[in-house]
C-alpha cells in the first residue's frame, strides 16, 4: 500500500495523547477495610482482567480512529498487480500518416520521428498489452496486436497522400471500447504534426472519447518550416497554340521561397518561370506552354477534343516535395462557329447587344460567333434552321404564331433568349407558354426602380448538362436554382468541373465573373412580374425577390427569359461594361476548355458525354487511376464516377477520347504551421476524457503495477468506529 | 413487640453507656416480647410471679395471689441447672469490621456475649469468657455468682480487637484446658481455615461439649452492596484488592453463600448448632437460638 499524501501519516502520532492519558490515568477509588478478600479474589481476577481488557480495547479503539483518520488524509492506494486476471492493458495508437508527415527538415522526416516515437511507446508498454494501431490519414486499423506484431506493423506504415481523418480513429476507438472488458485499462497515444487542418478536425468533434490514459506527442521541427506548394492552377487562355495557366503558389513556412515553376504536357516542357514567395505569402504566377507538341495534331486542326495532362512543378528546395507538383487535366474543345440570330422590332434596340457579341466573338479563340439580325416580323423557318442561338428583343404576336417552330428549334438543340419590353404580347406569351417555350410567363409590368442581385444564385451544382438528360427526380423545381446536374457525392465539397455546355446552358464561369462588374449597381427602371414554369429555374433574381433570369431546359436546347430590355427601356445592362460578360453568360461557352482537377479526398468525375457505348445499357467503364491500376467507373449522368483515385496523379479514361483528371493533395494539407502546445493540450484534454468509473486522479498505471485508491474503505471504517465507540465504551464499563 | 424489640437493636445498644445496661436491655427486651409458650417448663427467675398469659399451665397459677388481688399470676420457679457456658468471643482484627451504618462485629458479639452472660448468671449457670485472636487473649474462668457478671461485662467493654484469627488453635486449647463439659458458645466470623475449625470443633464435641456457633457477619460482608472503585484492604493480612465490587457482587455472594452453606452443613453433620447472625439485625435471633439450645440441653 502506498499513500498519495504521506505527510498526513505524521498525524498518526496523535495516538500518543490517548496513550499518555491511559498510562497516567489514576482512577479514583475509595479505600475500605474489609475482611472477606478471599471471596473477592475469585471474581477480582476476572474483574481485573476484564477491566484491563476493557481499558485496552477502548484505548485501541481510540488509537485506531486516530490512525485511520491520519491514513484517510494520506490517501492510501492499494497495490494490485497490473496483470490480474481480467485486467488488460489496451493501447490505441493514432498515427498521423497524412502527406504533411512526409515533411523533412534535413534531420529526418516527421514520419520517421513518428514511427520512432511509436516504437518507444510500445516498447515501454505492458508486455501483455493489446495494441490497436490506426493511421489517422488513411484510416486503416490494425487491431488486437501483440507487442511484437505491433512493432512489425509500425514498420509497414507509410505516408499517404491524404489529409488526417480523425473521425475514423475516434469511431473505431469508441466501438472497440464499448465492447471491451470492464476492467481493461485503455491508453491512447496520438502522434501527429497537428497542423491547422488536423486541429480543426479535433475541434469539430463534439463527443469526447472515454479513456483511462491519454498521451500525445506533437511532431514538429525545431527549425523554421521550409515549404511552398502549388495549391491551384487555372487556365488563363489559349492563343496561338500556347496555353497560359495561372498557378497559385503558397509559402506555408517561414523561409522565403525562390524557386522555378515549370509546366509540362507529356514530354513538352515550358520555360521555367522564376518565382519568389515570402513567408506566409500567396502569389499567382503565369506559365505558358506550347500545346502543339511534336507528334500531336495542331490544336487548330483538331477535329475532336483533346485531353491534356498538364503537370505544374516547382523546383526542389523545400522540406516537402509532394506538394510541389500540381496535376491539371484539360480538355481542349474543337473549334467551331456559332450562329446567333438577333431578332428585334427594327428600332435599333439590338445595337448594343450586337456590339457586345461581336466583341465577344473576337475574344473567343476557339469559337466564332456569326451574327445575323432579322426583324421579328420577318422570321422564317430558314432563319431558325441557320441559327444556333436566337435572341429576341421582345415577345410579339409573330412569335406566338411560330411558337411551334420555336419549340422545335429549341428541342433540336437551339437556344432562345427572350428579352422583355414593358408591353409583351400576352397572346403570344400564352401560346409560347403553352408550347413550353417560355421559362416564365410575363404578366404585369411594374414601373419601379429595382436592382439586380450582385450575381447569379450560388449554385453548387452548375445548371449544365453534357447531354440533354431529363430532370432527375431529386431536382428542385421552380423559383430555385437548378440543382440537377452533377451531384457531388464526395462529401459536400464542390467539384470544379468547368465543362462546356453542349446544349446551350449558362456559362458558369461567366456567371462568377459577373459579380466583379457590380451588377447590383445597375438601375432597372421596371420589371415584369413573371410566373415561373414548373420545369424552369430562376438563375438570377432581382433584389425585390422577383426573377431576373429564368432558364428552362427543352429537349436538347434551352430557353432563357431575361426580365429586362436590350435597350434602356427597362434597364441599362447592355450599356454597362458588363454587357460582354452578360452576353457570354447568356450565350454560354459551347466550346470551353475543360479543367478536371480534384483533391485526393474528392470523388473524381470525368466527362463522358461522348463516350462510346458499344453496348446498349452499359453503365460501367474502365479508367486508369493514379497508381496505374485499372478501376471500374460508373456512368452517372454523363460523368464517369471514379470512387477512389488511388493516390495523387492522373486518372484517365481508357476509351477514346482520352480525358485526364488531375488528383492533388487535399486543401490545407500542406499548411505546415506549427501547433501551439497549450492549444493542443487543451484540445486533447477535451477530446479524451478520463474514465469516471475509476478515480484516476491519484492513480497511475505503470507497466507492472496498478494503484487503486483505497480511501473510501478507510472512511467507512472510521465512521463505523466513531458510531460504535461510545456504545462499546459504555458496555465495557458496566 | 416492636417496642421491646428496639432494645435488641444493636445500633441502639451500641449507644448505651455500659455493658451492664446493654445486657439488661437486650435480655429484658427479648423476654418482654417473647411469647412464653414455646418455653414451657423453662423458667428464668427475674421475678417471683408474673402475670398469667393464656396458654400457661394452670397448675402453676398462684391461687393465693388471686385470692388477694383477683389477678392471675403464675408462680415463677427458680430452677438451678448448674450448666457451664464457655463464651468464646473472636477478638481478631477482622471482628472490628463494621459495614456502613452498622455496628462492628466485635460490638455485636460483645452485646450478644453480655446478654448471654446476663442470662446465664441470673440462672446461676457458670459463665466463662474467653477472648481470643491468634491465641487466647483473656480467659475468665467460669463462675456462677452474679458479681461475676461485672467482671465479664467489664472485660467485654475493654476488649479491643487485634491480631489475626487462629480459631483452630484456640478451640484445641479450650478443649484441652476446660475441666468441665458445658456449652461452648463460639461468637466469631469464622474467617480461618474451615478444615482446621472443624477439627477444633470436633475436638470439643469429642470431649462431650455442646457447641453453639454464632457466625457473625456484617451485612456488607454478606451482600457486598458497595459501588464504585474500591480498594479493599484486609484488616488482618493488609492485603489489598482494588476493584469494582458491582462487577464481583454476584460471584461474591455465590461464594459467600456457598461458604455459609458449607459451614452450616458441616457443623450440622457434626451435631453443632449453627446460627448466622447479620449484625444489621436485632439480637433476638441469637438469643432465640441460645434458648432453643438451652432447652434441648435440659
Amino acid at each position: 500500500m502506498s499513500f498519495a499524501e504521506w505527510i498526513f501519516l505524521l498525524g498518526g502520532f496523535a495516538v500518543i495523547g490517548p496513550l499518555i492519558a491511559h498510562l497516567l490515568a489514576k482512577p479514583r477509588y475509595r479505600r475500605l477495610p474489609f475482611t472477606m478478600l478471599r471471596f473477592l479474589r475469585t471474581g477480582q481476577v476476572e474483574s481485573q482482567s476484564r477491566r484491563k481488557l476493557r481499558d485496552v480495547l477502548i484505548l485501541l479503539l481510540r488509537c485506531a480512529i486516530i490512525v485511520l483518520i491520519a491514513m484517510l488524509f494520506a490517501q492510501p492506494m492499494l497495490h494490485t498487480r497490473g496483470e490480474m486476471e481480467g485486467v488488460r492493458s489496451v493501447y490505441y495508437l493514432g498515427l498521423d500518416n497524412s502527406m504533411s508527415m512526409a515533411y523533412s527538415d534535413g534531420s529526418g522526416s516527421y514520419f520517421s520521428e513518428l514511427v520512432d516515437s511509436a516504437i518507444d511507446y510500445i516498447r515501454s508498454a505492458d508486455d501483455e498489452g493489446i495494441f490497436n494501431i490506426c493511421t489517422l490519414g488513411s484510416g486503416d486499423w490494425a487491431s488486437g496486436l501483440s507487442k511484437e506484431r505491433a512493432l512489425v506493423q509500425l514498420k509497414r506504415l507509410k505516408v499517404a497522400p491524404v489529409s488526417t481523418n480523425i473521425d475514423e480513429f475516434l469511431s473505431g476507438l469508441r466501438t472497440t471500447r464499448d465492447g471491451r472488458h470492464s476492467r481493461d485499462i485503455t491508453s491512447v497515444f496520438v502522434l501527429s504534426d497537428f497542423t491547422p487542418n488536423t486541429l480543426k478536425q479535433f475541434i469539430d468533434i463534439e463527443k469526447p472519447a472515454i479513456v483511462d490514459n491519454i498521451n500525445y506527442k506533437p511532431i514538429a521541427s525545431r527549425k523554421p518550416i521550409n515549404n511552398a506548394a502549388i495549391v491551384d492552377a487555372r487556365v488563363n487562355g489559349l492563343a496561338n497554340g500556347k496555353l497560359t495557366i495561372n498557378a497559385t503558389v503558397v509559402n506555408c513556412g517561414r523561409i522565403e521561397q525562390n524557386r522555378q515553376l515549370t509546366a509540362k504536357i507529356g514530354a513538352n516542357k515550358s520555360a521555367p518561370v522564376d518565382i519568389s514567395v515570402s513567408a506566409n505569402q500567396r502569389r499567382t504566377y503565369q506559365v505558358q506552354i506550347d500545346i502543339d507538341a511534336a507528334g500531336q495534331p495542331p490544336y487548330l486542326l483538331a477535329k475532336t477534343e483533346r485531353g491534356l495532362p498538364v503537370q505544374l512543378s516547382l523546383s526542389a528546395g523545400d522540406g516537402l516535395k509532394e506538394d510541389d507538383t500540381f496535376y491539371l487535366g484539360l480538355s481542349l474543345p474543337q473549334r467551331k462557329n456559332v450562329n446567333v440570330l438577333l431578332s428585334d422590332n427594327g428600332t435599333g434596340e439590338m445595337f448594343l447587344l450586337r456590339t457586345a457579341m461581336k466583341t465577344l466573338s473576337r475574344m473567343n479563340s476557339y469559337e466564332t460567333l456569326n451574327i445575323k439580325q432579322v426583324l421579328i416580323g420577318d422570321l422564317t423557318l430558314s432563319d431558325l434552321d441557320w441559327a444556333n442561338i436566337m435572341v429576341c428583343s421582345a415577345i410579339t404576336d409573330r412569335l406566338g404564331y411560330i411558337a411551334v417552330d420555336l419549340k422545335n428549334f429549341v428541342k433540336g438543340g437551339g437556344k432562345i433568349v427572350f428579352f422583355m419590353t414593358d408591353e409583351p404580347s400576352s397572346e403570344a406569351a400564352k401560346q409560347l407558354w403553352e408550347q413550353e417555350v417560355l421559362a416564365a410567363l410575363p404578366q404585369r409590368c411594374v414601373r419601379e426602380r429595382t436592382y439586380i442581385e450582385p450575381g447569379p444564385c450560388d449554385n453548387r451544382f452548375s445548371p449544365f448538362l453534357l447531354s440533354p438528360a431529363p430532370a432527375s427526380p431529386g431536382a428542385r423545381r421552380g423559383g430555385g436554382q437548378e440543382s440537377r446536374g452533377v451531384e457531388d457525392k464526395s462529401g459536400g465539397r464542390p467539384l470544379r468541373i468547368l465543362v462546356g455546355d453542349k446544349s446551350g446552358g449558362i456559362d458558369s464561369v461567366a456567371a462568377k465573373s459577373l459579380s466583379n462588374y457590380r451588377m447590383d449597381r445597375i438601375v432597372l427602371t421596371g420589371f415584369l412580374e413573371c410566373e415561373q414554369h414548373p420545369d424552369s429555374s430562376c438563375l438570377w433574381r432581382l433584389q425585390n425577390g422577383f426573377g431576373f433570369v429564368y432558364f428552362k431546359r427543352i429537349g436538347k436546347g434551352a430557353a432563357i427569359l431575361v426580365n429586362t430590355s436590350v435597350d434602356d427601356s427597362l434597364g441599362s445592362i447592355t450599356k454597362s461594361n458588363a454587357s460582354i460578360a452578360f452576353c457570354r453568360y447568356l450565350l454560354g461557352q459551347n466550346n470551353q476548355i475543360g479543367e478536371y482537377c480534384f483533391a485526393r479526398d474528392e470523388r473524381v468525375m470525368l466527362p463522358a458525354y461522348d463516350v462510346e457505348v458499344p453496348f446498349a445499357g452499359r453503365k460501367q467503364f474502365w479508367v486508369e487511376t493514379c497508381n496505374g491500376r485499372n478501376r471500374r467507373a460508373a456512368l452517372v449522368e454523363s460523368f464517369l464516377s471514379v470512387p477512389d483515385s488511388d493516390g495523387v496523379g492522373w486518372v484517365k479514361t481508357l476509351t477514346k477520347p482520352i480525358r485526364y483528371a488531375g488528383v492533388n493533395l487535399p486543401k490545407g494539407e500542406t499548411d505546415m504551421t506549427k501547433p501551439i502546445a497549450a492549444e493542443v493540450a487543451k484540445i486533447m484534454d477535451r477530446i479524451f476524457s478520463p474514465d469516471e468509473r475509476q478515480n484516476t486522479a491519484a492513480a497511475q498505471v505503470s507497466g507492472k503495477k496498478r494503484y487503486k485508491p483505497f480511501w473510501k474503505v478507510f472512511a467507512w471504517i472510521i465512521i463505523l468506529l466513531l458510531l460504535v465507540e461510545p456504545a462499546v465504551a459504555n458496555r465495557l464499563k458496566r | 413487640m416492636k417496642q421491646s424489640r428496639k432494645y435488641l437493636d444493636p445500633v441502639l445498644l451500641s449507644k448505651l453507656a455500659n455493658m451492664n445496661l446493654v445486657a439488661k436491655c437486650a435480655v429484658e427486651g427479648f423476654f418482654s416480647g417473647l411469647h412464653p409458650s414455646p418455653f414451657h417448663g423453662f423458667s428464668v427467675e427475674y421475678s417471683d410471679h408474673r402475670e398469667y398469659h393464656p396458654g400457661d399451665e394452670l397448675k402453676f397459677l398462684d391461687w393465693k395471689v388471686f385470692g388477694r388481688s383477683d389477678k392471675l399470676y403464675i408462680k415463677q420457679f427458680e430452677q438451678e441447672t448448674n450448666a457451664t457456658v464457655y463464651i468464646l468471643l473472636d477478638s481478631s482484627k477482622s471482628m472490628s469490621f463494621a459495614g456502613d451504618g452498622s455496628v462492628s462485629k466485635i460490638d455485636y458479639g460483645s452485646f450478644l456475649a453480655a446478654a448471654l452472660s446476663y442470662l446465664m448468671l441470673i440462672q446461676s449457670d457458670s459463665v466463662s469468657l474467653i477472648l481470643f485472636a491468634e491465641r487466647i487473649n483473656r480467659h475468665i474462668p467460669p463462675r456462677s455468682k452474679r458479681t461475676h457478671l461485672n467482671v465479664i461485662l467489664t472485660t467485654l467493654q475493654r476488649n479491643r480487637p487485634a491480631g489475626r484469627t487462629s480459631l483452630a488453635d484456640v478451640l484445641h486449647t479450650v478443649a484441652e484446658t476446660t475441666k468441665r463439659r458445658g456449652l461452648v458458645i463460639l461468637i466469631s466470623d469464622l474467617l480461618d481455615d474451615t478444615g482446621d475449625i472443624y477439627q477444633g470443633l470436633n475436638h470439643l464435641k469429642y470431649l462431650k461439649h455442646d457447641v453453639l456457633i454464632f457466625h457473625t457477619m456484617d451485612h456488607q460482608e454478606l451482600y457486598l452492596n458497595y459501588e464504585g472503585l474500591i480498594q479493599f484492604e484486609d484488616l488482618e493480612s493488609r492485603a489489598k484488592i482494588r476493584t469494582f465490587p458491582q462487577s464481583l457482587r454476584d460471584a461474591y455472594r455465590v461464594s459467600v453463600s456457598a461458604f455459609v452453606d458449607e459451614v452450616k452443613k458441616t457443623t450440622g453433620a457434626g451435631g453443632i448448632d449453627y446460627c448466622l447472625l447479620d449484625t444489621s439485625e436485632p439480637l433476638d435471633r441469637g438469643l432465640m437460638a441460645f434458648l432453643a439450645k438451652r432447652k434441648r440441653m435440659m
Side-chain angles (χ1 to χ4, degrees):
Chain A
M1 184 184 295
S2 63
F3 299 90
E5 301 290 339
W6 64 266
I7 193 72
F8 284 103
L9 288 176
L10 297 177
F13 285 109
V15 298
I16 201 169
L19 274 173
I20 292 175
H22 175 78
L23 293 172
L24 296 181
K26 291 183 180 179
R28 291 181 183 179
Y29 60 90
R30 180 160 64 106
R31 298 175 67 178
L32 182 70
F34 202 67
T35 57
M36 311 282 274
L37 259 64
R38 65 177 185 186
F39 297 101
L40 285 175
R41 284 201 179 87
T42 308
Q44 187 269 342
V45 172
E46 296 173 350
S47 173
Q48 191 170 14
S49 61
R50 192 179 170 191
R51 179 163 49 83
K52 283 184 180 176
L53 179 64
R54 180 208 71 194
D55 291 343
V56 170
L57 284 177
I58 292 175
L59 175 66
L60 288 177
L61 185 63
R62 290 171 181 167
C63 290
I65 291 174
I66 293 172
V67 170
L68 287 174
I69 290 175
M71 291 177 76
L72 173 67
F73 280 103
Q75 295 184 32
M77 289 185 288
L78 189 65
H79 296 187
T80 58
R81 289 184 60 192
E83 299 177 5
M84 283 171 48
E85 187 177 348
V87 175
R88 301 185 303 175
S89 296
V90 184
Y91 301 90
Y92 294 88
L93 282 79
L95 307 178
D96 187 355
N97 68 332
S98 62
M99 184 49 72
S100 59
M101 295 299 291
Y103 177 81
S104 174
D105 58 0
S107 59
S109 69
Y110 278 8
F111 192 72
S112 60
E113 184 181 345
L114 177 146
V115 171
D116 293 340
S117 298
I119 288 173
D120 292 339
Y121 180 80
I122 291 175
R123 281 181 178 162
S124 67
D126 187 6
D127 291 338
E128 302 300 324
I130 297 173
F131 298 86
N132 305 283
I133 299 174
C134 176
T135 50
L136 298 182
S138 48
D140 298 325
W141 275 96
S143 303
L145 304 175
S146 64
K147 196 170 189 176
E148 292 71 28
R149 290 180 60 192
L151 292 171
V152 172
Q153 180 67 20
L154 282 178
K155 293 172 183 173
R156 293 179 186 164
L157 295 179
K158 292 180 182 177
V159 175
V162 292
S163 287
T164 49
N165 183 359
I166 305 301
D167 287 338
E168 182 63 35
F169 176 59
L170 287 178
S171 62
L173 175 64
R174 291 193 192 100
T175 303
T176 310
R177 185 186 164 82
D178 289 342
R180 75 180 179 105
H181 196 278
S182 61
R183 299 174 74 180
D184 288 348
I185 302 169
T186 309
S187 302
V188 170
F189 187 42
V190 178
L191 284 165
S192 173
D193 53 0
F194 293 104
T195 58
N197 215 25
T198 305
L199 286 178
K200 185 178 181 305
Q201 291 198 40
F202 277 111
I203 290 170
D204 290 341
I205 293 169
E206 293 180 354
K207 182 181 176 184
I210 308 298
V211 297
D212 296 315
N213 291 288
I214 172 65
N215 277 312
Y216 60 91
K217 181 180 178 183
I219 307 289
S221 172
R222 293 187 179 83
K223 303 175 185 175
I225 298 296
N226 176 21
N227 186 38
I230 303 175
V231 298
D232 196 12
R234 294 173 185 264
V235 173
N236 182 269
L238 177 62
N240 301 323
K242 288 190 182 298
L243 183 68
T244 303
I245 297 173
N246 292 336
T248 305
V249 179
V250 172
N251 185 346
C252 313
R254 297 291 189 91
I255 298 175
E256 183 175 355
Q257 299 291 323
N258 297 306
R259 313 266 283 277
Q260 288 187 325
L261 175 67
T262 309
K264 185 174 80 168
I265 301 176
N268 188 17
K269 275 190 179 179
S270 70
V273 174
D274 293 328
I275 67 169
S276 177
V277 187
S278 302
N280 298 320
Q281 193 181 32
R282 182 185 184 105
R283 295 190 66 177
T284 302
Y285 293 91
Q286 276 193 352
V287 60
Q288 278 192 334
I289 185 168
D290 192 351
I291 62 172
D292 291 330
Q296 293 276 348
Y299 163 69
L300 293 177
L301 300 179
K303 293 183 180 180
T304 60
E305 282 194 11
R306 288 171 58 187
L308 290 178
V310 180
Q311 182 173 323
L312 297 157
S313 305
L314 288 175
S315 58
D318 62 6
L320 186 65
K321 61 180 174 54
E322 283 79 0
D323 57 357
D324 295 340
T325 304
F326 194 89
Y327 302 92
L328 175 64
L330 298 180
S331 172
L332 298 183
Q334 60 182 125
R335 197 171 177 78
K336 68 184 262 187
N337 295 323
V338 178
N339 296 329
V340 180
L341 179 65
L342 300 178
S343 300
D344 62 357
N345 287 324
T347 57
E349 58 202 10
M350 281 289 197
F351 172 76
L352 292 174
L353 190 68
R354 179 177 181 141
T355 305
M357 286 186 183
K358 283 185 177 177
T359 307
L360 182 63
S361 177
R362 286 194 296 273
M363 291 169 61
N364 203 327
S365 305
Y366 40 80
E367 187 175 76
T368 302
L369 297 178
N370 300 315
I371 302 172
K372 179 180 175 183
Q373 192 157 359
V374 174
L375 292 176
I376 293 177
D378 296 335
L379 277 172
T380 61
L381 283 177
S382 62
D383 295 325
L384 295 179
D385 292 338
W386 174 87
N388 299 116
I389 300 174
M390 179 179 175
V391 181
C392 300
S393 66
I395 297 179
T396 62
D397 292 336
R398 175 64 181 161
L399 293 179
Y401 300 149
I402 58 172
V404 177
D405 297 326
L406 291 175
K407 180 180 178 181
N408 293 332
F409 164 74
V410 175
K411 286 179 73 175
K415 176 189 282 185
I416 185 166
V417 180
F418 293 101
F419 281 88
M420 293 287 102
T421 58
D422 56 352
E423 291 182 358
S425 169
S426 58
E427 191 60 34
K430 282 183 185 175
Q431 292 179 4
L432 292 170
W433 180 259
E434 287 172 2
Q435 294 298 325
E436 298 188 346
V437 179
L438 279 182
L441 180 64
Q443 295 169 336
R444 187 174 69 94
C445 179
V446 179
R447 278 287 181 182
E448 288 179 5
R449 288 165 66 92
T450 187
Y451 296 86
I452 312 168
E453 290 282 342
C457 300
D458 181 21
N459 185 14
R460 174 184 291 184
F461 307 112
S462 299
F464 60 85
L465 285 174
L466 294 178
S467 61
S472 60
R476 284 175 286 172
R477 294 175 177 272
Q481 52 197 357
E482 176 67 64
S483 61
R484 67 182 176 153
V486 179
E487 185 180 354
D488 178 12
K489 292 193 174 84
S490 63
R493 295 192 181 86
L495 301 177
R496 186 164 73 88
I497 303 175
L498 302 178
V499 185
D501 183 355
K502 297 297 178 187
S503 59
I506 299 296
D507 190 331
S508 56
V509 175
K512 290 182 183 177
S513 67
L514 279 173
S515 60
N516 297 324
Y517 290 94
R518 299 306 305 268
M519 299 282 285
D520 56 327
R521 289 186 178 179
I522 298 174
V523 177
L524 299 185
T525 57
F527 64 95
L528 280 88
E529 292 180 352
C530 300
E531 177 188 342
Q532 185 175 338
H533 194 277
D535 293 334
S536 70
S537 59
C538 181
L539 300 183
W540 203 339
R541 290 191 177 273
L542 299 172
Q543 290 188 10
N544 60 13
F546 286 94
F548 178 58
V549 175
Y550 294 92
F551 176 91
K552 184 173 183 294
R553 178 73 58 192
I554 305 170
K556 293 182 180 180
I560 299 172
L561 188 142
V562 184
N563 197 358
T564 190
S565 61
V566 292
D567 57 12
D568 281 337
S569 61
L570 289 179
S572 56
I573 287 181
T574 50
K575 286 176 70 175
S576 69
N577 55 356
S579 60
I580 297 172
F582 193 67
C583 285
R584 183 175 170 182
Y585 170 72
L586 292 176
L587 299 181
Q589 295 226 1
N590 291 313
N591 289 321
Q592 180 181 335
I593 297 176
E595 298 181 23
Y596 308 105
C597 174
F598 302 89
R600 174 65 179 90
D601 49 0
E602 294 175 345
R603 180 180 288 264
V604 175
M605 305 292 284
L606 284 167
Y609 50 86
D610 54 355
V611 168
E612 296 175 3
V613 183
F615 301 105
R618 181 180 165 191
K619 294 292 183 185
Q620 288 186 342
F621 302 86
W622 290 93
V623 297
E624 183 180 301
T625 55
C626 298
N627 60 357
R629 288 178 58 184
N630 289 347
R631 275 189 178 267
R632 281 201 176 123
L635 183 63
V636 178
E637 294 187 352
S638 303
F639 279 89
L640 291 178
S641 173
V642 183
D644 189 359
S645 61
D646 291 334
V648 173
W650 298 111
V651 174
K652 69 176 185 179
T653 59
L654 293 177
T655 54
K656 291 184 178 179
I658 298 176
R659 291 194 176 90
Y660 296 86
V663 182
N664 300 285
L665 291 174
K667 285 183 182 178
E669 180 55 32
T670 55
D671 183 357
M672 303 294 299
T673 305
K674 293 182 185 178
I676 300 173
E679 185 183 355
V680 175
K682 188 178 172 184
I683 292 171
M684 289 292 108
D685 289 341
R686 186 183 73 81
I687 297 301
F688 299 101
S689 298
D691 192 345
E692 293 180 354
R693 290 176 300 172
Q694 297 176 354
N695 185 358
T696 55
Q700 300 173 1
V701 176
S702 65
K704 293 291 182 184
K705 287 187 181 178
R706 182 182 173 189
Y707 297 82
K708 185 176 178 180
F710 211 49
W711 64 273
K712 290 183 182 177
V713 177
F714 281 83
W716 282 114
I717 293 174
I718 289 169
I719 292 170
L720 194 63
L721 289 177
L722 286 172
L723 285 172
V724 304
E725 190 268 343
V728 169
N730 288 335
R731 179 76 177 170
L732 290 174
K733 281 181 183 176
R734 288 183 189 170
Chain B
M1 188 68 173
K2 288 183 182 177
Q3 190 68 18
S4 60
R5 282 201 85 204
K6 73 177 181 183
Y7 296 106
L8 295 168
D9 182 11
V11 176
L12 180 65
L13 291 174
S14 66
K15 295 177 183 174
L16 297 178
N18 57 59
M19 278 295 178
N20 199 355
L21 200 57
V22 167
K24 258 190 181 179
C25 286
V27 172
E28 290 180 7
F30 173 71
F31 279 104
S32 66
L34 188 64
H35 195 287
S37 311
F39 295 98
H40 290 308
F42 180 81
S43 65
V44 174
E45 186 186 8
Y46 58 92
S47 67
D48 292 333
H49 294 84
R50 63 175 176 84
E51 287 187 15
Y52 167 79
H53 294 285
D56 289 337
E57 291 188 13
L58 294 177
K59 65 180 181 179
F60 294 121
L61 277 174
D62 190 340
W63 296 107
K64 291 180 181 180
V65 173
F66 179 72
R68 287 197 298 269
S69 62
D70 286 333
K71 292 181 181 177
L72 290 173
Y73 285 90
I74 295 295
K75 292 179 182 177
Q76 302 291 321
F77 292 99
E78 180 178 322
Q79 183 176 7
E80 295 183 357
T81 58
N82 293 322
T84 303
V85 177
Y86 301 92
I87 299 176
L88 277 59
L89 177 63
D90 188 344
S91 300
S92 61
K93 190 65 178 172
S94 63
M95 291 294 285
S96 66
F97 178 78
D100 300 331
S102 64
V103 300
S104 65
K105 290 186 288 185
I106 189 64
D107 288 342
Y108 192 92
S110 298
F111 297 156
L112 182 62
L116 291 174
S117 300
Y118 183 81
L119 203 58
M120 293 296 103
L121 289 172
I122 287 178
Q123 209 172 291
S124 299
D125 286 333
S126 295
V127 176
S128 170
L129 178 67
I130 299 172
L131 304 175
F132 67 92
E134 294 169 309
R135 59 181 184 278
I136 295 174
N137 294 332
R138 184 68 191 275
H139 181 194
I140 299 175
R143 295 283 187 276
S144 61
K145 291 183 179 179
R146 290 195 180 187
T147 55
H148 186 60
L149 179 63
N150 293 331
V151 176
I152 290 174
L153 295 180
T154 304
T155 305
L156 287 174
Q157 192 149 0
R158 292 177 181 175
N159 182 31
R160 295 290 177 268
R164 303 172 69 97
T165 304
S166 183
L167 187 55
D169 294 340
V170 169
L171 290 175
H172 286 301
T173 302
V174 169
E176 289 168 2
T177 57
T178 52
K179 297 175 181 175
R180 289 177 64 185
R181 63 175 182 162
L183 171 63
V184 178
I185 298 175
L186 176 60
I187 303 173
S188 173
D189 52 12
L190 302 182
L191 293 179
D192 197 0
D193 186 82
T194 51
D196 293 342
I197 295 174
Y198 299 146
Q199 284 184 354
L201 292 173
N202 287 335
H203 193 177
L204 289 170
K205 288 295 292 185
Y206 176 76
L207 294 178
K208 308 290 185 201
H209 289 289
D210 287 309
V211 182
L212 172 62
I213 297 176
F214 287 111
H215 189 181
T216 53
M217 292 188 74
D218 191 270
H219 189 77
Q220 290 289 9
E221 287 181 327
L222 288 170
Y223 298 107
L224 200 65
N225 287 330
Y226 293 111
E227 297 287 342
L229 181 63
I230 296 174
Q231 180 169 288
F232 296 97
E233 298 177 357
D234 193 284
L235 287 166
E236 293 181 6
S237 66
R238 312 307 297 176
K240 298 175 185 178
I241 294 177
R242 190 186 302 170
T243 185
F244 288 94
Q246 57 269 29
S247 63
L248 307 175
R249 189 175 294 136
D250 293 340
Y252 174 85
R253 289 178 183 177
V254 169
S255 300
V256 169
S257 176
F259 164 67
V260 170
D261 291 342
E262 184 200 355
V263 172
K264 190 185 292 183
K265 182 180 173 183
T266 306
T267 53
I272 299 171
D273 291 312
Y274 171 84
C275 179
L276 177 64
L277 296 177
D278 186 338
T279 59
S280 63
E281 293 177 352
L283 292 170
D284 54 350
R285 288 191 67 243
L287 295 175
M288 190 72 75
F290 169 75
L291 291 179
K293 177 67 176 177
R294 192 73 181 83
K295 183 178 180 185
R296 284 195 294 275
M297 285 171 62
M298 292 171 61

